[in-house]
Amino acid sequence: MAETRVRIRKRKTLTDQLYGQILEQIVSGQLQEGDKLPSEHQICDAFAVSRPVVREALRRLQEDHLIESRRGVGSFVRKRPPQGLIEYASADSVAGLMRAMEARMTVESATARMAAQRADSADLTKISDALDALEQSMALRQPSRDPDFAFHLAVAEASHNEVYVAMLQSAQEVMQRAIDVAQSITRGGSQARVDRVLLEHRQIYEAILSRDAEAAGLSMAYHLLQARQRITDHAREE
Amino acid sequence: MAETRVRIRKRKTLTDQLYGQILEQIVSGQLQEGDKLPSEHQICDAFAVSRPVVREALRRLQEDHLIESRRGVGSFVRKRPPQGLIEYASADSVAGLMRAMEARMTVESATARMAAQRADSADLTKISDALDALEQSMALRQPSRDPDFAFHLAVAEASHNEVYVAMLQSAQEVMQRAIDVAQSITRGGSQARVDRVLLEHRQIYEAILSRDAEAAGLSMAYHLLQARQRITDHAREE
Amino acid sequence: MAETRVRIRKRKTLTDQLYGQILEQIVSGQLQEGDKLPSEHQICDAFAVSRPVVREALRRLQEDHLIESRRGVGSFVRKRPPQGLIEYASADSVAGLMRAMEARMTVESATARMAAQRADSADLTKISDALDALEQSMALRQPSRDPDFAFHLAVAEASHNEVYVAMLQSAQEVMQRAIDVAQSITRGGSQARVDRVLLEHRQIYEAILSRDAEAAGLSMAYHLLQARQRITDHAREE
Amino acid sequence: MAETRVRIRKRKTLTDQLYGQILEQIVSGQLQEGDKLPSEHQICDAFAVSRPVVREALRRLQEDHLIESRRGVGSFVRKRPPQGLIEYASADSVAGLMRAMEARMTVESATARMAAQRADSADLTKISDALDALEQSMALRQPSRDPDFAFHLAVAEASHNEVYVAMLQSAQEVMQRAIDVAQSITRGGSQARVDRVLLEHRQIYEAILSRDAEAAGLSMAYHLLQARQRITDHAREE
C-alpha cells in the first residue's frame, strides 16, 4: 500500500516534469504554434519515461489548451503562453497550479452559491472590505495575493460550512502560488486586464449581495475559468 | 482578527448545541411531528443565546428537513429521525455531520465526473476492489466504514487531481464519523435498505466504467443526497 | 439554406436507421455481448453510407452504453437491451427517443429546481394528484403514459415559467413515445422495478414539497437518467 | 381543465401587467432607488388584483434584481433600468422577456456543452460564420438580431440533438424580442459594451473549438446572465 503510494507520487512527479519540459519548449519558441509534437513513442524515448506518463502529460497539456490532439494524426501546439509564466513559476509546478484552479472552480462555485443564500451582514462586510483592499492594491499595481485570497476565504466563510473553509485551507499553499502567478502576469498586463479582474470580483460580490445564488455560483466559476486561462494565455488581453 | 475567529468558532459551537438540543426533543418525542416550535424570541430566552444563533440553528434544521418554517407563522416539526441517530452520534455533532455531507456532494460529484474521463485500468481495479470489499462487509452486516471510505477515496484518486484528494483527507475525520452513523443506521435497517446502498455504489462504478461523466457525477450526487437523508429519515426505508 | 437543411435532415435519418440496424443485430443476438463490430470502413460499405454517418451512429450507440469504443482497437458490444425495446418502438426510432430523454434531463432538472422555489399550494396539489393517479395506474399494471406526462407537466408549470412548458410541449410527441416504451418495459418487469419507478417520482415530489431546490433538481435528473437506462438495460432489474 | 388553463393564463397576464406598471414607475423615477414600495395589501387595493398576483409580481421583480425584499420590513427599489427598456419593449412584456432569458440559460448551457463534444467541421464553420456576421453588423451599429439568433441556433444544431433545436424554435418569437431589446440597448451604449458582447460570443466559440465542454457551457451561461442583466441594468456599462 505504502509502496503503491510512492509509485503514484513518483509518476505524478514525472508527469509534471514532462509537462514542464514541453511547456518550456513552447514558451521559448522552440516549438511554435501549429508545430507537430513528436509521437508518444518518440517522447517516451527522448525523456526516458513510460507510455502512461506521456499520455497523462499530453492529456493535461490539452486540457490546459496548450496543445491539440487530433485523433490518429498527432498533437499540435495550440498557443504560446506568456514568457512570464515560467519566470513567476518553475515550469515543473505549472501543471499543479492548473489542477489547483480546477479544484477551486468546484469548491468555490459552491461556496459562492451558498454565500448568496446564507451570508449575514457581518459576512457581507468582510467580503466587501476584502474587495476594497483588492481594488486599492491592484490600482497601485502592488502584489495583491493577500487581499485576493482574503476575498475568496470570506466568501467561503459566508457559506457557513466550515468544511469548505478547511478544504480551501488544505490547498492554501498551492492556491496562493496560483494567485501569485496570475496576479504577476496581470500586473505586467494592460489596464484593461486589471479592470477585468476587478470587475469579475465585483460581479461575485454583487450577486451575493442580491441573494442570487445562481448568478453568484456562475460568476465565481467564470472568474476562475478566466483566471485559469489568463495563466496560460498570451495574446488575448494586450 | 484572532479574536474574530474565536467569536465565530464560539457562535458555531452554540449553534450546533442548540441544533442538537432541538433535535433531541424531536427524537425523544417531546416535540411531535406537526408540533409548532417556540418563537425565535422564546428560544433566545430559553437557551440564553442570541438571535443570530437561533436563526442559524433553525435554518439548518430546515435545510436538513427536520423542521419547516412557514413565513409569518412559525416553525413546525416535519419528521422524527431514528432513535439511533443520537445513539451513534452525540446530538451536538449532528449538524456538523450534515455539513460534511454537503461538502462531500460538491467535491465528490466533481471527482466522479473526472474519474469517468480520466481513470486508467489501475484506478478502475482499485475502485472495483473497494466495491467488492464493501459488498462483502455489508453482506455480513459488519461495520463497513473502511471499505466505504476506500471506495470514495479511490474515485477521488481516479480524478488524477491530488488537490481533491487532499481536500477529502482534510475532512477525513468528520467524513468517517458521518459514514459511521449512516452505516450504523443502515446496518440496523432492512435488507432492502442494505441493497439500496450497495446499488448506489455499484451505479457510480458502472458509470465511471462506461466513461459516462454526466451519469457518474449524477449517481455520486444522488448517492450522497440519499445518504444524507438516511441519516435523519426514519420511516421511509423500513 | 433550405437545401442544407434537407441534407442535415437526410443525414440524421440515415444515422438513425444505421443505429437501428445495429441495435436490431444486438437485440436479436446476431451480435453478442463482447463481439467486435466491423470496422468503420466495412460498415460504410455494408450499409452504403458515408463515414460521418457511421461515426455519428457509433458515437450515439456508445453514449447509450450499447457499445464501447476502444481507441485504436475498435468497437465492442457492451450489453443486450430487452427484446421489448424493438417491439414497443421501431428500431429506427430508438436513437430519437434517447435524444428526447437527454433534452428532458436538461429542461426538467431546471423545472424541478424552480418548482421547489416557486410552487404555490395549487401547484403542489396538481403534482400530488398526478402522482396519485400514476401510482394507481401502475399498481394495476395499466398503461400509465398520461398520468406520467401529467406529473412532469405539473412540475414544469410549477416553475412559473411558461417558456419551459412550451418547450416540453414542443417535444410532447417524442416524449410521450419515450414514456410509452419505458412504461411498457417496466410493466412487463418485476414488482421491484415498478416500485422503483414510483419511488423516483415520489422523491421528486417530496423534494419540491420540502422546498429543497438542489434535491428536487437532482432527483429529477436521476429519475430521467434511470428511465433512459431502463429503456436499453436488460439484466439489471429482473 | 380548460377553465383552469384560462384562469392560469389570466393570472399570468395580470402578474405581467402589474410587474410592468411597477417597472414603469421605477424607470420614470416616480419610485426612486431606495424607496419603499407600498405594502402587499396596498398594492392589492391600488391595482385591484389578488394577493397571489401581487406576490408573484414582487417575486419576479426581486429575481430580476429590480427590487429587494427584506423579511418583515417590506420591498425597496434596488436599481433603475435604462429608459430604453420600456421604449424598445412594452412594459407589460418585460417580465416575459426575462423568463425567456431564464429558459435560454438552461437549454443553451447544455447545447454549448454538447457542441464542444460533438461539433463536426461543418458545424464549426457555421458557428464561425454567424460570429463573423455578428461582428460586422455590430461594428456598424446595425440591428443584429438575425446574426445573433443564427449564432445561438448554430450552437444548438452542433449539439446534434434536434429536440433542443425544436425547443429553441418553439420560443423563437420571445427569444428574438429579448435579443432585440438587449441589442437595442447595447447599440445605444458605449463601445466598451459592444466589445464586451462580442467578446462573450467569441469565448463561447473558442471553448467549443477547444473541445472544452465545461468552458463552453459556462461561457454560454455567463453570456446569457450578462445579457439578462444588461436588459435591466443602467449604470454599470456606461
Side-chain angles (χ1 to χ4, degrees), chain A residues 62-63 65 68 78 102 105-106 196 199-200 203 206-207 209-212 214-219 221-222 225-226 228-229 233 236-237, chain D residues 62-63 65 68 78 102 105-106 196 199-200 203 206-207 209-212 214-219 221-222 225-226 228-229 233 236-237:
Chain A
Q62 173 158 36
E63 283 175 5
H65 298 193
E68 174 187 8
R78 272 204 77 198
E102 177 176 85
M105 277 186 69
T106 300
R196 198 136 50 233
L199 177 63
E200 288 168 17
Q203 286 178 342
E206 281 175 11
L209 196 64
S210 304
R211 306 282 171 203
D212 187 333
E214 192 181 8
L218 191 47
S219 300
Y222 180 80
L225 177 73
Q226 293 304 107
R228 201 169 152 180
Q229 291 188 352
D233 200 348
R236 184 180 310 165
E237 307 281 339
Chain D
Q62 174 158 33
E63 282 175 5
H65 298 192
E68 176 186 8
R78 272 204 78 197
E102 176 175 84
M105 277 185 70
T106 300
R196 198 138 48 234
L199 178 63
E200 288 168 16
Q203 286 178 341
E206 281 174 10
L209 196 64
S210 305
R211 306 285 173 202
D212 187 333
E214 191 179 11
L218 190 49
S219 301
Y222 181 79
L225 177 74
Q226 293 304 106
R228 201 169 152 180
Q229 289 187 353
D233 200 347
R236 183 181 311 167
E237 307 281 339

Side-chain angles (χ1 to χ4, degrees), chain B residues 62-63 65 68 78 102 105-106 196 199-200 203 206-207 209-212 214-219 221-222 225-226 228-229 233 236, chain C residues 62-63 65 68 78 102 105-106 196 199-200 203 206-207 209-212 214-219 221-222 225-226 228-229 233 236:
Chain B
Q62 174 159 35
E63 283 175 5
H65 298 190
E68 176 186 9
R78 271 205 78 199
E102 177 176 82
M105 276 185 70
T106 300
R196 199 138 47 233
L199 177 64
E200 288 168 18
Q203 286 178 341
E206 282 175 10
L209 195 65
S210 306
R211 306 285 174 201
D212 187 332
E214 190 181 10
L218 189 49
S219 300
Y222 180 80
L225 176 73
Q226 294 303 108
R228 201 169 153 181
Q229 289 188 354
D233 201 346
R236 186 183 305 170
Chain C
Q62 174 160 35
E63 283 175 5
H65 298 192
E68 175 187 7
R78 272 203 78 200
E102 177 176 84
M105 276 185 70
T106 300
R196 198 136 50 232
L199 177 63
E200 288 168 16
Q203 285 178 341
E206 280 174 12
L209 195 65
S210 304
R211 304 286 172 200
D212 186 332
E214 191 180 12
L218 190 49
S219 300
Y222 180 80
L225 176 74
Q226 293 304 106
R228 202 168 152 181
Q229 291 188 352
D233 201 348
R236 184 180 308 166

